[in-house]
């Protein structure tokens, strides 16, 4: 970032500002303008946003977590694979046991 340009940074560089966007007056005003433009147009690319190249306005569904429940088909496959592994292990133990005894 050039000296004297508006400052806008991620506050992670300083522990007391870790979860903040930090900037000087000009940087924050530029951010406000970019946010308004992004709300209207979906995106605003600007050179006066410090460490950032722009702002995007995304739909609410972008931030929602997908349904993490597995289907019954996936559960059945996992159960079958575990049962197969246990069966093969028991057959192997039986075979080793017959060789040794």
């Amino acid at each position: 970032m050039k000296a004297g340009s508006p400052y806008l940074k991620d506050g992670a560089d300083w522990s007391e500002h870790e979860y903040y966007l930090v900037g000087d007056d000009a940087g924050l005003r530029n951010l406000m303008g970019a946010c308004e433009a992004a709300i209207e147009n979906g995106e605003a690319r600007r050179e006066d946003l410090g460490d950032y190249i722009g702002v995007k306005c995304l739909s609410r569904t972008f931030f929602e977590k997908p349904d993490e429940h597995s289907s019954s088909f996936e559960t059945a496959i996992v159960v079958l694979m575990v049962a197969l592994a246990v069966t093969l292990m028991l057959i192997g133990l039986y075979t080793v046991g017959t060789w040794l005894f």
Side-chain angles (χ1 to χ4, degrees), residues 34-46:
C35 288
E36 289 172 357
I39 290 170
E40 291 177 15
N41 305 320
E43 181 178 349
R45 294 182 67 103
R46 296 174 59 155

Side-chain angles (χ1 to χ4, degrees), residues 7-101:
Y7 289 98
L8 187 64
K9 296 181 69 69
D10 182 351
D13 292 342
W14 305 277
S15 62
E16 66 271 15
H17 306 299
E18 189 168 356
Y19 295 105
Y20 291 90
L21 281 175
V22 295
D24 63 358
D25 186 62
L28 293 175
R29 289 189 188 282
N30 292 341
L31 178 61
M32 286 186 341
C35 288
E36 289 172 357
I39 290 170
E40 291 177 15
N41 305 320
E43 181 178 349
R45 294 182 67 103
R46 296 174 59 155
E47 297 290 326
D48 58 357
L49 294 177
D51 288 349
Y52 305 96
I53 61 168
V55 176
K56 286 187 177 185
C57 182
L58 304 173
S59 69
R60 182 177 299 265
T61 58
F62 178 83
F63 299 99
E64 294 174 359
K65 292 183 178 178
D67 187 16
E68 295 182 5
H69 293 66
S70 61
S71 69
S72 58
F73 179 71
E74 291 171 346
T75 304
I77 289 176
V78 170
V79 168
L80 285 173
M81 291 179 74
V82 169
L84 178 64
V86 169
T87 302
L88 290 173
M89 185 177 65
L90 291 174
I91 290 170
L93 286 174
Y94 174 76
T95 304
V96 169
T98 57
W99 290 342
L100 294 176
F101 303 108

